[in-house]
Amino acid sequence: MIKKLPLLIGCFFASILYSQHKFLNDPKISAADLQKTKSEIDADAPAEILYRSVHFIVDYDGSLKQEIVSRVKIYNKDNAGEYLDYEIPVFNNGKGDSEKLIDLKVVTYNWENDKITPTKITRDEKFKSKEDKNYTITKFAFANVKNGSVVEYSYTIFSPFLNSTPRTIIESKIPTRYVEFVFDHALPIGYSINYKGSVAPKHRDAGHKTLYGNQFQTHRYAYEDLPAFKDERYVLNNDNYKTGVRAELNSTLFNNIFKSYSISWKDIQKRLYDHDDFGEQLKKESLVKNLSPNEIAAMSTKVEKAAAVLKFVQNNYTWNKEDEAFTDKGIKNLITTKIGNTAEINLLLTMLLRNVGLNADPVVLSTINRGKLTTYNPSISQLNFVLASFDDNGKFYLLDGTSKLTELNMVSPRALNESGIIMSKDDAKLINVLYPEVSKTILSIDAKLNPDGTVEGRFADLDTKLYAMIANEAFTDDQKTYSKNYQDEYRFPFTNLKHQLHENNDFETTFDFSADSFVDHIGNKMVFNPLLFLYSQNHSYNQTEPRRSAIEFYSAFDRVKKVTITLPDGYKFENVPKSKKIRTEDSAIQYTYLVTQKENKLTIETTVQIDDSSFPADYYPFFKQIYDNVTKLESQVVTAVKK
């Protein structure tokens, strides 16, 4: 059986390549574009990108200019909604440095009366909103959109932040006729190109050129006729598997003084520890000297101390829902206000662990939504999350105080993004950031069958470990929606719907039910599926195209269904299924169908066991094969007849 290895392969075009292709050549909108009725790449596509240009210029004055042009053909506006509304974020670091958006143009083109008719949106139709302290979002929607329209926007952003460009994702959910990435930078400012993905550009051009009246280094990639990138199920972030390009600052040379940036994670470590909002915060040991209860320091083991410190932080401080690698208002403010961002809470946690004698260090990483850490290309701009960690005689522990339900080595799901970097006082070390235990979902039914064919009983949905934390946080965030999900899932009468967090942090939902839709009467017999409403009619491992992405979960898991049915007096079971177990050769995926009968009581217990949180794409056929058997076995029925 194959080994479980990461799938992503990073590509870097290091050679000097020249092309006769003309970049930054925005073609005019044509009648042919407007009269087209379907994409030549994918006839069923609701839209396609006709032209997209992402152009970055780092000039000699130390400014970064980003110029964007996007033109999209709409074939079916009812299914192309995400291409008709846009948001442009503009960043402000809160310390006087801010990006600036200018020259935003938004136009819809239609073919009317045998001519091209443009419709522009007005200034009033562009809406600005302050999303948080660091971002202002400009929102807009295209006007007069019809089937056949071409929608186009363009804008420029000036930025003082030179550390990196945003990642330009080349592939899209719709076909792309043409897309280009162009990055031109002044020679004294050096950049590395972080290229990740499997799609190679059709046109490439890199080297020194005279541009804009001066000498620049250029990196230019253009792509043509790309099919739509289809998201795959069981992937935490599909963007990780799309081709993307990002420029990362690596050096500057001014006045004959060479300065290097982000050459290694050790360099990142030094920058973090020299930073006012990271390392300088960790030095403020006096802030936490008498903060935690005295009895914690007196505990006998490191694990006991760590668990107590974590609980103290959870009970006294609240995450403000902002993930950052740097503090915003600082540790002192967190102690006073009791509210802070990820860095503030987990740097405080690190300091408290150190204060009770533990060898604790922060761990920095990128969240799932931000994308996987490209560990081979160190960059401070990738980082937006901090954890605490400590070592106990060679055993390593991770801690996260941003959630009220985390435990040792259980961190928030958004941080389970494969890799992190321990930033100790004098070193940087790559580690795996995974949940090491098995989470369980246990669905159970205790029911009785009545002579009239109705079934009544009690249902319970119990989650443990990481799954319990996810369920409880979803319930806490929106109780009404969480309850409605059960009403949408189980479309039969039920009462007494309850949700409960147990003392051991398991989360359980229960309800009572009575229904007449589970049993078929055939003569004097009653035929039904012994799993009642829990049997799997089909499954979602049904991808027909070759699998591209890894199969990813938050945690290794067991999913258990246990149904016990009691027959009425005078009845007996017939055609009872037999127990069966199937598994892959390495036992990484297992399924058990267990049947137990005692007089007029029948219990069916099924268990899917997945022994890891991530599998390479080559495992997909094994998942499909296992789940094909699951649906086959769970479709079996039993018969109840009078004795």
Side-chain angles (χ1 to χ4, degrees):
M1 196 60 70
I2 60 176
K3 298 290 186 182
K4 299 173 188 175
L5 298 174
L7 268 193
L8 281 182
I9 298 175
C11 301
F12 176 67
F13 295 99
S15 57
I16 305 298
L17 298 162
Y18 295 94
S19 169
Q20 297 303 312
H21 174 75
K22 190 172 182 180
F23 290 85
L24 302 174
N25 182 33
D26 182 3
K28 291 185 177 180
I29 188 76
S30 69
D33 288 332
L34 288 166
Q35 292 173 348
K36 280 186 63 176
T37 59
K38 62 183 179 180
S39 167
E40 295 172 1
I41 302 173
D42 179 359
D44 295 325
E48 72 176 334
I49 296 170
L50 300 181
Y51 177 85
R52 182 168 175 253
S53 175
V54 181
H55 182 201
F56 297 98
I57 307 170
V58 178
D59 215 333
Y60 278 80
D61 62 0
S63 67
L64 169 63
K65 182 166 71 170
Q66 176 183 359
E67 298 176 329
I68 303 293
V69 179
S70 175
R71 183 179 296 161
V72 177
K73 170 72 176 183
I74 305 299
Y75 297 109
N76 184 338
K77 68 183 182 68
D78 294 333
N79 294 329
E82 64 183 290
Y83 303 98
L84 302 180
D85 299 272
Y86 284 89
E87 298 181 354
I88 305 172
V90 175
F91 181 72
N92 182 332
N93 68 359
K95 300 178 180 180
D97 296 319
S98 179
E99 295 177 331
K100 182 180 180 181
L101 171 67
I102 65 169
D103 294 336
L104 173 60
K105 299 181 177 64
V106 182
V107 186
T108 302
Y109 297 97
N110 287 298
W111 184 251
E112 297 175 347
N113 300 319
D114 294 328
K115 65 179 181 178
I116 299 172
T117 305
T119 303
K120 300 180 181 180
I121 67 170
T122 65
R123 183 185 298 271
D124 294 338
E125 293 173 296
K126 303 169 188 176
F127 174 72
K128 283 187 179 181
S129 66
K130 185 76 172 179
E131 298 297 309
D132 60 36
K133 69 182 189 307
N134 293 121
Y135 284 96
T136 299
I137 309 296
T138 298
K139 305 178 182 180
F140 62 88
F142 290 98
N144 195 29
V145 178
K146 307 172 184 178
N147 290 344
S149 297
V150 171
V151 295
E152 180 180 272
Y153 66 82
S154 62
Y155 61 86
T156 299
I157 291 179
F158 285 97
S159 175
F161 309 112
L162 305 185
N163 284 337
S164 71
T165 66
R167 183 178 179 225
T168 299
I169 296 179
I170 300 303
E171 297 168 278
S172 179
K173 292 181 180 179
I174 55 175
T176 300
R177 294 246 301 271
Y178 180 88
V179 59
E180 66 182 13
F181 169 88
V182 177
F183 180 64
D184 305 320
H185 63 89
L187 293 184
I189 308 175
Y191 283 84
S192 301
I193 300 299
N194 176 358
Y195 193 102
K196 185 171 70 172
S198 59
V199 177
K202 183 173 182 180
H203 308 283
R204 290 177 276 186
D205 188 359
H208 290 183
K209 288 180 179 289
T210 300
L211 300 169
Y212 327 112
N214 217 324
Q215 290 297 302
F216 281 79
Q217 169 73 39
T218 188
H219 302 271
R220 302 184 172 203
Y221 309 127
Y223 311 77
E224 296 180 4
D225 299 328
L226 300 181
F229 183 100
K230 295 183 179 179
D231 286 352
E232 296 178 325
R233 294 184 176 182
Y234 307 106
V235 178
L236 297 181
N237 184 350
N238 273 280
D239 283 351
N240 286 323
Y241 299 93
K242 295 177 182 177
T243 297
V245 194
R246 185 204 313 267
E248 306 271 3
L249 178 67
N250 62 37
S251 63
T252 57
L253 177 61
F254 291 112
N255 300 321
N256 292 321
I257 298 174
F258 178 80
K259 190 172 182 179
S260 176
Y261 298 89
S262 304
I263 300 302
S264 69
W265 286 114
K266 182 70 169 85
D267 297 319
I268 299 293
Q269 179 270 343
K270 186 178 186 306
R271 290 178 62 189
L272 287 175
Y273 270 81
D274 289 343
H275 202 289
D276 289 343
D277 299 324
F278 193 95
E280 293 300 317
Q281 296 293 318
L282 287 169
K283 291 180 181 179
K284 299 178 180 180
E285 299 173 357
S286 61
L287 293 175
V288 303
K289 189 172 182 180
N290 299 308
L291 191 60
S292 59
N294 292 332
E295 58 265 24
I296 294 179
M299 291 179 175
S300 58
T301 69
K302 293 181 180 180
V303 169
E304 287 178 320
K305 290 179 181 180
V309 169
L310 175 60
K311 186 58 65 177
F312 171 78
V313 170
Q314 290 170 325
N315 290 340
N316 289 278
Y317 304 98
T318 299
W319 176 53
N320 64 6
K321 298 189 181 300
E322 294 179 5
D323 287 329
E324 299 289 348
F326 296 97
T327 63
D328 175 23
K329 298 178 181 178
I331 300 299
K332 185 176 181 179
N333 183 77
L334 169 64
I335 293 172
T336 301
T337 64
K338 309 295 185 184
I339 297 175
N341 67 16
T342 300
E344 286 160 345
I345 286 178
N346 284 331
L347 288 179
L348 173 64
L349 179 55
T350 302
M351 296 165 70
L352 289 169
L353 292 171
R354 290 176 175 178
N355 188 59
V356 297
L358 274 65
N359 181 24
D361 291 305
V363 174
V364 292
L365 52 88
S366 171
T367 57
I368 287 174
N369 286 342
R370 186 74 162 260
K372 287 185 179 179
L373 207 60
T374 49
T375 56
Y376 57 85
N377 192 1
S379 165
I380 205 167
S381 64
Q382 296 182 66
L383 307 174
N384 72 326
F385 204 94
V386 180
L387 296 170
S389 71
F390 76 97
D391 179 89
D392 182 14
N393 295 321
K395 188 171 182 179
F396 183 75
Y397 293 87
L398 288 172
L399 300 89
D400 178 13
T402 65
S403 169
K404 303 297 184 183
L405 295 181
T406 57
E407 303 168 355
L408 299 189
N409 276 337
M410 176 192 287
V411 303
S412 299
R414 65 190 186 282
L416 292 172
N417 201 20
E418 193 173 288
S419 302
I421 313 291
I422 303 175
M423 293 295 176
S424 64
K425 296 176 182 178
D426 54 9
D427 200 6
K429 181 182 177 182
L430 177 67
I431 61 165
N432 291 327
V433 180
L434 304 167
Y435 183 58
E437 299 186 44
V438 176
S439 303
K440 293 184 179 182
T441 295
I442 303 171
L443 308 174
S444 60
I445 298 173
D446 190 358
K448 66 176 182 178
L449 176 64
N450 297 316
D452 63 356
T454 58
V455 179
E456 57 187 68
R458 184 176 185 273
F459 167 78
D461 178 353
L462 179 72
D463 288 306
T464 73
K465 303 291 185 180
L466 190 70
Y467 284 1
M469 185 173 73
I470 294 172
N472 181 67
E473 290 185 347
F475 172 70
T476 302
D477 287 345
D478 191 341
Q479 297 184 19
K480 185 176 180 181
T481 298
Y482 192 86
S483 296
K484 187 176 183 300
N485 288 338
Y486 281 87
Q487 296 166 350
D488 294 339
E489 176 75 14
Y490 302 112
R491 296 183 174 275
F492 51 81
F494 61 79
T495 57
N496 298 325
L497 179 65
K498 297 178 181 178
H499 311 284
Q500 180 183 4
L501 180 67
H502 295 292
E503 289 187 4
N504 65 353
N505 284 343
D506 288 351
F507 188 83
E508 186 175 33
T509 294
T510 59
F511 60 72
D512 299 322
F513 68 91
S514 178
D516 60 3
S517 56
F518 305 139
V519 177
D520 290 326
H521 282 273
I522 302 175
N524 64 343
K525 299 180 179 181
M526 292 187 285
V527 180
F528 57 96
N529 189 305
L531 287 171
L532 298 178
F533 53 86
L534 295 183
Y535 77 96
S536 299
Q537 300 181 53
N538 46 51
H539 65 82
S540 52
Y541 291 94
N542 52 9
Q543 184 173 319
T544 56
E545 303 87 357
R547 180 75 176 188
R548 175 185 54 246
S549 313
I551 303 127
E552 300 170 335
F553 312 102
Y554 287 117
S555 167
F557 66 88
D558 292 350
R559 183 173 177 84
V560 180
K561 303 174 187 176
K562 185 175 182 180
V563 180
T564 298
I565 297 179
T566 303
L567 295 183
D569 291 339
Y571 281 78
K572 66 177 182 178
F573 286 105
E574 287 185 352
N575 305 320
V576 175
K578 295 181 179 180
S579 300
K580 189 169 183 179
K581 184 172 184 177
I582 53 178
R583 62 180 179 84
T584 55
E585 184 180 337
D586 61 355
S587 297
I589 315 168
Q590 300 184 58
Y591 177 72
T592 304
Y593 186 93
L594 180 64
V595 182
T596 306
Q597 182 180 359
K598 186 176 181 181
E599 297 178 348
N600 68 334
K601 185 173 290 189
L602 181 70
T603 298
I604 306 292
E605 183 172 347
T606 74
T607 305
V608 175
Q609 294 175 283
I610 308 297
D611 82 343
D612 207 340
S613 60
S614 181
F615 295 79
D618 307 68
Y619 261 74
Y620 194 81
F622 301 122
F623 276 89
K624 184 179 186 305
Q625 184 178 7
I626 290 287
Y627 277 89
D628 282 345
N629 280 282
V630 170
T631 56
K632 181 179 179 181
L633 289 169
E634 294 191 1
S635 68
Q636 298 177 97
V637 297
V638 299
T639 303
V641 297
K642 280 189 176 183
K643 295 180 182 177

